[in-house]
Amino acid sequence: MKRNIIPLLLFASSLCVNAQNDYSGNFSRPLHDVLKGMEQRFNVKIKCDIDTAGKSITFADFRIRPYSVEESLDNICKEIGANWWDQGKGTYKLKKYEYTRRHTTDGEKMLAWLAGKYSDRETWEARKDSLRKEVRKRLGIDEYLDSCVKGRKAVLSKVRKYDGYTVQNICIETLPGEHLYGSIYTPSKKGRHPLIICPNGHFYDGRYRKDQQQRLATLARMGAVCVSYDIYGWGESKREHPEHRTDRAHVIQALDGLLLLNWMTENRGKTIDTTRIAANGGSGGGSLTVLLTALDERFTAAAPVVSLASHFDGGCPCESGKPIHLAADGTCNPEILAMMAPQPVLVVSDGGDWTASVPDLEFPYLQRIWAFYGEKDKVRNIHLPTERHDFGPNKRQAVYDFFIDVFNLDASMLDESKVTIEPTEALLSYPEKK
């Protein structure tokens, strides 16, 4: 035991000796030296995404807690406007402070604080009413809706026919000189079909990618009309908006989803069953799915995939650029999604991203809200602990099973091999001239 204690005492003494007292009692030391000393003390590796050159920490040795590397990192990060993240296997990473990203323990505290605000359906409904109004106000959506182009007809491509479904591109002028671009996947079978608005996230190649086409076409084959559209500054939208990472993207992407919902119900009313309207997207598209359901009560189901967490609001300004998470004294995406109760909701999560906490943290919170209505089983979680952040086959299967159940889709038509993957050019309303 003595062989272990003596070197630690000598090391601690050397820290105090090396700390520089500038006669104001600041005991400052270079940040680089402090972090190296912590690596030795706690036998860990500390990486940095911030520049440590020339930075010093005041009261440096007094910020170290000999019993906790994480509390020590907390104290250091307070000085430099950073945050730390446990990367496992004894490795920590210091990164610039992100207002949208917090620790899981912060999510626990947030959900506990929120849960204390309502104990039954009546108190929850009061909270929901004020939350919905303030989310709209902080997003600024109503001002944009009032400014939209009125009466402009959509530009539609020719219908492309495939095995059990069709695809047609759509372009609508939204605000003066601005357009939304998307594609409509429709069942070949006649009748009134459910409508699913499908915003894509930040997955490579956006709505043109293979798995997006597979999902929307398969849902269409099974009997749902699905509409996919470009997020702000991606795909054809990039022609008008070269910069994606702006707070304006947050409101425009929501605006486009609502305008598509309006257009589809107004112009395809004979083929749309307005009692079955849903939103479904992954990652940033999952964040947008949650937001759309909060903005429009016509949505009767939702399936956000690899997105929902109480401790992460979304890593892009298109998900959190407008301060909607400050609404009603503070909220988070699980509470915003809870405004869907008691309608059916599926949350898909995995073990390789921020949604790893869903089964033990966010899902029980949601179940409690749905239980206020006696409908606890209508909110579901499919958790894939060995998978990472994507919209892979198991995640798509979870979505298919959900909509087969809640929208009574035809499971016999579930066959992704029947889907024709179109080239990007086919999905453009205005292909580039060669």
Side-chain angles (χ1 to χ4, degrees):
M1 178 68 71
K2 291 182 179 180
R3 286 198 300 271
N4 293 330
I5 292 176
I6 291 174
L8 184 59
L9 292 174
L10 290 174
F11 176 70
S13 298
S14 70
L15 292 182
C16 294
V17 170
N18 292 330
Q20 297 176 2
N21 188 339
D22 63 1
Y23 302 104
S24 299
N26 285 337
F27 298 99
S28 64
R29 294 181 62 226
L31 173 58
H32 178 271
D33 294 351
V34 173
L35 296 179
K36 287 299 180 183
M38 288 182 62
E39 287 183 325
Q40 296 176 44
R41 175 189 283 262
F42 296 107
N43 191 28
V44 297
K45 177 69 174 177
I46 300 176
K47 300 179 180 179
C48 282
D49 266 1
I50 56 175
D51 185 8
T52 61
K55 287 186 171 65
S56 292
I57 298 294
T58 57
F59 308 108
D61 300 330
F62 295 95
R63 294 176 185 271
I64 306 302
R65 299 293 178 264
Y67 46 82
S68 174
V69 61
E70 295 180 352
E71 289 188 34
S72 301
L73 288 171
D74 277 340
N75 292 335
I76 290 169
C77 287
K78 289 174 184 176
E79 173 97 352
I80 61 176
N83 209 340
W84 60 266
W85 301 98
D86 184 354
Q87 297 192 311
K89 298 181 180 179
T91 299
Y92 293 85
K93 192 168 191 176
L94 267 61
K95 300 177 67 175
K96 184 179 178 181
Y97 180 79
E98 299 173 274
Y99 72 95
T100 61
R101 191 187 305 266
R102 301 168 293 278
H103 293 286
T104 305
T105 52
D106 294 313
E108 293 174 3
K109 294 173 185 177
M110 183 61 154
L111 291 182
W113 178 74
L114 290 172
K117 291 181 173 294
Y118 27 83
S119 56
D120 53 26
R121 177 173 175 174
E122 182 179 4
T123 52
W124 161 246
E125 289 282 353
R127 166 74 177 178
K128 180 173 73 170
D129 181 63
S130 61
L131 182 61
R132 191 186 304 278
K133 291 176 180 176
E134 194 167 341
V135 165
R136 292 188 72 92
K137 182 178 180 181
R138 287 181 176 271
L139 188 66
I141 190 71
D142 292 311
E143 291 85 349
Y144 279 87
L145 285 167
D146 291 341
S147 301
C148 284
V149 175
K150 303 296 191 293
R152 184 61 59 90
K153 293 184 178 179
V155 176
L156 297 167
S157 72
K158 292 182 178 180
V159 175
R160 303 184 294 281
K161 297 181 179 181
Y162 296 111
D163 188 341
Y165 70 100
T166 66
V167 186
Q168 184 178 35
N169 303 334
I170 182 170
C171 171
I172 302 174
E173 186 175 16
T174 53
L175 299 167
E178 300 184 39
H179 302 78
L180 69 79
Y181 301 90
S183 296
I184 305 169
Y185 293 73
T186 304
S188 297
K189 187 177 180 181
K190 304 298 182 183
R192 292 175 69 85
H193 308 290
L195 171 65
I196 307 176
I197 304 295
C198 301
N200 61 280
H202 299 98
F203 296 120
Y204 176 75
D205 216 17
R207 70 180 176 91
Y208 313 97
R209 69 187 192 274
K210 179 179 179 180
D211 68 80
Q212 180 91 346
Q213 294 189 51
Q214 286 175 314
R215 175 166 52 93
L216 272 64
T218 300
L219 288 167
R221 280 174 46 81
M222 293 193 293
V225 176
C226 297
V227 186
S228 176
Y229 62 100
D230 286 329
I231 56 177
Y232 189 93
W234 278 48
E236 288 188 275
S237 172
K238 194 171 185 177
R239 297 172 182 172
E240 298 166 9
H241 309 297
E243 177 58 45
H244 170 69
R245 293 183 60 84
T246 70
D247 62 348
R248 192 172 190 268
H250 197 186
V251 61
I252 294 296
Q253 290 176 181
L255 176 73
D256 288 352
L258 297 181
L259 293 178
L260 277 172
L261 172 57
N262 290 341
W263 191 90
M264 292 297 296
T265 54
E266 292 168 6
N267 294 276
R268 299 285 175 89
K270 293 182 179 180
T271 62
I272 300 298
D273 179 355
T274 57
T275 67
R276 295 183 292 168
I277 296 177
N280 167 229
S283 191
S287 298
L288 189 48
T289 291
V290 172
L291 180 56
L292 287 173
T293 63
L295 297 174
D296 199 309
E297 295 184 76
R298 286 177 292 178
F299 286 100
T300 62
V305 176
V306 295
S307 65
L308 193 75
S310 55
H311 44 90
F312 187 44
D313 303 330
C316 179
C318 80
E319 301 170 77
S320 50
K322 298 294 184 180
I324 63 171
H325 298 98
L326 298 179
D329 292 329
T331 186
C332 59
N333 285 339
E335 188 184 41
I336 295 174
L337 179 63
M339 287 192 282
M340 277 290 291
Q343 303 282 14
V345 164
L346 168 70
V347 177
V348 180
S349 55
D350 63 67
D353 60 24
W354 54 89
T355 64
S357 62
V358 167
D360 299 320
L361 182 56
E362 287 81 7
F363 186 50
Y365 165 82
L366 294 174
Q367 286 182 304
R368 178 174 179 261
I369 303 298
W370 264 256
F372 291 160
Y373 300 85
E375 299 284 3
K376 184 177 178 181
D377 292 339
K378 282 193 175 182
V379 60
R380 313 173 192 185
N381 172 223
I382 296 296
H383 186 66
L384 303 165
T386 63
E387 296 196 9
R388 302 189 67 81
H389 190 73
D390 61 18
F391 215 136
N394 291 328
K395 298 178 179 78
R396 297 196 300 276
Q397 185 64 52
V399 170
Y400 300 150
D401 291 342
F402 175 69
F403 285 118
I404 287 170
D405 182 27
V406 302
F407 282 170
N408 195 30
L409 301 187
D410 184 357
S412 69
M413 295 294 285
L414 200 173
D415 186 348
E416 288 189 341
S417 70
K418 300 293 186 181
V419 174
T420 298
I421 304 302
E422 297 187 307
T424 296
E425 291 74 18
L427 293 164
L428 300 176
S429 293
Y430 299 102
E432 298 286 350
K433 294 181 180 180
K434 296 182 180 180

